[in-house]
């Protein structure tokens, strides 16, 4: 059994830990004196409607701030310290307090590059001023793909992240503003300021990899012909609360998105355990939201994580929660990394410029579906020293100076949008595929990568062992291919 501590590419700030409680039907106790306001996910029985749950919330001195009737989930705020037990009864399946449950976004350091020269607009992605530093695009056949199909504006990709800069010259023409929203707090806010980045450029970087315009300004995206929608789920402290993710998946389902990118995990525990009473209601709510989005034609694509963990085997997690005092917990098949290990979600690992597994990338036979460029500034073969340019170059936004730019980041957060862009190209070339058909198509057109022999340890202290054959734990079905999905 392997002992791990979460290895992130950026430090997480500390928040007070909230406790989620599973509640069974019973007699509601008397309300206590008002305390601090807390947020709760309240779940009605699946398919039973939310009317009875709304009534119980009111009786327990709670206020419904968002109702997702489609999946029987309410987002509630209350100052009643006894709310979690007071709300229990007929019409309530479970309730979880989510205050303090936010998960710090695995931000990654942004290294800026100089602004490109004056525009020289062509239809050729290789003529973009910074394309020469985008080693990741030739790796997945983007130039060849664009000669056939660069993407259709009928395809809409949801970027569930920290927002997208609507003023960025490589993205301004790419954003479907009427489909964008902020889901921070679990409540949709469609004002442009709300879904723009405030403290993080992570979402702007991700969006550029998917769909940066071929306009002679900076970089190219995998699918510059498609549209992206900002679905902001990261708050100003850099945390992803469960209610924001629920809102994001339902929003994508209701607003015509065919693909979403999810470069994060939910809950301060990296692994959400269904057998943990504190976590099960969160798992239930998120699962409902993901299933609903799939039923509406959305393929959700997620990053595998940056802990160098074999997600298919038991181990001990001693590094979660990341916003409180860590607990030592055995991670078994009752525990999943959300949303990466949710059924029907396409999970993506990361590779370096060498085409080998990035030192940080988590993996797992039967968990990882495909792999894509994520960067690795710590390792190169042949004695060549790694550099910043071994990361992924994309669009950035300096939240301090409120200026747009371009820069490097690395992580499975950067691998996932490559696969998302390829999925968008696939839908552009072959419209009408269901989420399951699209996921299968990406796997069937991927370029198989063999396992590394023995223990793979490109950086000391990060050992990993690949298992499987043509489909294996490091790379799944293989490297996504933009060219193969459109040719």
């Amino acid at each position: 059994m392997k002992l791990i501590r979460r290895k992130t590419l950026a430090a997480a700030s500390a928040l007070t830990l909230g406790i989620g409680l599973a509640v069974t039907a019973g007699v509601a106790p008397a309300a206590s004196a008002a305390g601090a306001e807390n947020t709760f996910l309240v779940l009605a029985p699946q398919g039973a409607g939310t009317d009875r749950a709304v009534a119980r919330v009111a009786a327990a001195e709670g206020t419904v701030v968002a109702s997702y009737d489609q999946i029987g989930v309410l987002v509630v705020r209350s100052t009643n310290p006894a709310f979690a037990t007071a709300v229990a009864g007929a019409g309530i399946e479970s309730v979880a307090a989510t205050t303090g449950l936010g998960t710090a976004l695995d931000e990654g350091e942004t290294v800026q590059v100089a602004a490109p020269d004056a525009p020289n607009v062509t239809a050729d992605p290789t003529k973009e001023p910074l394309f020469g530093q985008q080693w990741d695009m030739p790796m997945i056949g983007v130039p060849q793909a664009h000669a056939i199909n660069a993407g259709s504006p009928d395809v809409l990709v949801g970027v569930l992240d920290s927002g997208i800069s609507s003023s960025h010259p490589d993205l301004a023409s790419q954003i479907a503003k009427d489909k964008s929203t902020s889901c921070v707090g679990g409540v949709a806010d469609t004002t442009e300021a709300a879904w723009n980045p405030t403290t993080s450029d992570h979402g702007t970087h991700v969006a550029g990899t998917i769909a940066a315009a071929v306009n002679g300004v900076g970089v190219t995206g995998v699918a510059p012909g498609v549209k992206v929608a900002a679905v902001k789920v990261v708050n100003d402290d850099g945390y992803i609360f469960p209610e924001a993710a629920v809102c994001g998946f339902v929003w994508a389902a209701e607003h015509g998105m065919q693909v979403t990118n999810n470069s994060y995990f939910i809950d301060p525990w990296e692994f959400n355990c269904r057998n943990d009473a504190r976590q099960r209601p969160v798992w239930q709510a998120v699962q409902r939201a993901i299933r609903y989005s799939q039923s509406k034609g959305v393929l959700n694509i997620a990053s595998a994580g940056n802990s160098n963990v074999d997600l298919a085997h038991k181990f001990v997690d001693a590094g979660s929660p990341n916003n409180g005092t860590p607990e030592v917990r055995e991670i078994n098949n009752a525990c999943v990394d959300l949303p990466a290990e949710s059924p029907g979600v396409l999970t993506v690992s990361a590779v370096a410029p060498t085409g080998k597994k990035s030192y940080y990338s988590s993996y797992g036979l039967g968990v990882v579906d495909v792999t894509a460029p994520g960067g690795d500034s710590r390792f190169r073969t042949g004695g060549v020293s790694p550099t910043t340019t071994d990361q992924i170059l994309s669009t950035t936004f300096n939240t301090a100076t409120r200026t747009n730019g371009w820069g490097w980041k690395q992580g499975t957060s950067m691998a996932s949008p490559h696969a998302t862009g390829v999925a968008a190209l696939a839908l552009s070339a072959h419209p009408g595929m269901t989420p399951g058909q699209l996921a299968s198509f990406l796997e069937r057109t991927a370029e198989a990568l063999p396992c590394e022999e023995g223990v793979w340890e490109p950086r000391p202290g990060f050992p990993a062992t690949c298992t499987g054959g043509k489909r294996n734990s490091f790379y799944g079905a293989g490297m996504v291919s933009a060219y193969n999905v459109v040719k």
Side-chain angles (χ1 to χ4, degrees):
M1 189 173 292
K2 186 176 182 180
L3 176 69
I4 71 149
R5 291 186 179 276
R6 176 162 173 80
K7 300 176 180 71
T8 62
L9 303 188
S13 56
L15 288 182
T16 304
L17 179 63
I19 301 297
L21 301 172
V23 178
T24 55
V27 178
S32 304
E37 184 176 73
N38 289 300
T39 301
F40 299 85
L41 286 176
V42 176
L43 280 69
Q46 186 81 58
T50 58
D51 290 348
R52 298 178 76 182
V54 169
R56 292 206 64 86
V57 166
E61 302 179 28
T63 301
V64 176
V65 295
S67 178
Y68 297 102
D69 298 341
Q70 308 96 319
I71 59 173
V73 175
L74 305 175
V75 180
V76 175
R77 295 192 184 126
S78 178
T79 58
N80 179 3
F83 175 83
T85 49
V87 76
I92 302 293
E93 180 175 315
S94 60
V95 58
T98 66
T99 300
L101 282 189
T103 298
L105 184 69
D106 203 349
E107 182 71 33
E109 179 186 4
T110 302
V111 182
Q112 297 294 135
V113 301
D117 295 331
N120 178 27
V121 181
T122 73
D124 184 353
T126 66
K127 302 301 183 184
E128 292 297 276
L130 298 175
F131 182 82
Q133 299 175 69
Q134 289 187 276
W135 57 266
D136 48 316
M137 296 301 171
M139 179 176 274
I140 62 172
V142 166
Q144 299 92 322
H146 285 192
I148 301 171
N149 193 325
S152 166
D154 294 333
V155 175
L156 179 61
V157 177
V159 180
L160 276 64
D161 214 293
S162 62
I164 303 173
S165 171
S166 60
S167 61
H168 198 291
D170 249 346
L171 295 171
S173 63
Q174 310 302 90
I175 302 171
K177 294 184 177 181
D178 61 330
K179 304 292 186 180
S180 297
T181 193
S182 168
C183 274
V184 173
V187 182
D189 181 349
T190 59
T191 59
E192 189 167 338
W195 52 259
N196 262 258
T198 45
T199 58
S200 165
D201 71 344
H202 191 274
T204 299
H205 197 279
V206 164
T209 295
I210 297 169
V214 177
N215 57 3
V217 174
V219 296
T220 183
V222 176
V226 307
K227 297 296 182 182
V228 293
V231 183
K232 189 174 181 179
V233 296
V234 182
N235 72 8
D236 286 352
D237 294 320
Y239 283 83
I240 303 104
F241 285 82
E243 60 269 22
V246 168
C247 168
F249 287 118
V250 175
W251 179 270
E254 299 289 9
H255 290 83
M257 297 174 203
Q258 297 103 312
V259 187
T260 69
N261 187 85
N262 304 270
S263 293
Y264 58 87
F265 70 88
I266 303 165
D267 217 58
W269 291 274
E270 183 174 3
F271 303 95
N272 192 290
C273 297
R274 299 184 291 271
N275 57 355
D276 187 328
R278 298 168 299 177
Q279 297 181 312
R280 182 171 173 80
V282 171
W283 176 84
Q284 290 174 312
V286 172
Q287 287 288 98
R288 288 187 188 184
I290 290 174
R291 284 198 301 268
Y292 181 72
S293 70
Q294 292 165 345
S295 75
K296 293 293 186 177
V298 183
L299 173 63
N300 300 297
I301 298 178
S303 55
N306 300 331
S307 297
N308 189 41
V309 169
D310 186 347
L311 297 169
H313 290 84
K314 288 184 179 181
F315 51 89
V316 172
D317 178 10
S320 299
N322 63 5
N323 62 354
T325 302
E327 302 175 13
V328 177
R329 301 190 311 157
E330 179 181 296
I331 303 303
N332 53 36
N333 59 10
C335 304
V336 293
D337 190 332
L338 288 176
E341 291 188 83
S342 297
V345 172
L346 189 85
T347 304
V348 188
S349 64
V351 298
T354 59
K356 304 294 186 181
K357 186 184 93 68
S358 301
Y359 77 89
Y360 52 79
S361 181
S362 290
Y363 54 102
L365 189 61
V367 178
V368 168
D369 297 302
V370 291
T371 195
D376 192 334
S377 63
R378 305 296 182 93
F379 172 74
R380 268 192 173 187
T381 56
V384 179
S385 298
T387 68
T388 299
T389 56
D390 292 323
Q391 301 183 40
I392 302 299
L393 180 62
S394 187
T395 47
T396 59
F397 180 74
N398 188 315
T399 58
T401 61
R402 314 302 295 173
T403 54
N404 297 295
W406 294 264
W408 285 280
K409 289 181 185 287
Q410 68 177 22
T412 55
S413 283
M414 283 60 254
S416 180
H418 285 86
T420 299
V422 171
L425 285 181
L427 284 174
S428 300
H430 314 286
M433 284 189 282
T434 67
Q437 289 170 337
L438 178 56
S440 176
F441 186 58
L442 292 183
E443 294 175 25
R444 287 187 287 109
T445 56
E447 300 284 352
L449 297 175
C451 270
E452 273 51 77
E453 294 184 4
V455 176
W456 177 245
E457 193 170 5
R459 181 185 176 195
F462 290 80
T465 302
C466 185
T467 56
K470 185 176 180 181
R471 187 183 184 105
N472 57 60
S473 61
F474 277 11
Y475 311 116
M479 180 79 73
V480 293
S481 172
Y483 178 54
N484 285 352
V485 300
V486 301
K487 70 179 182 180

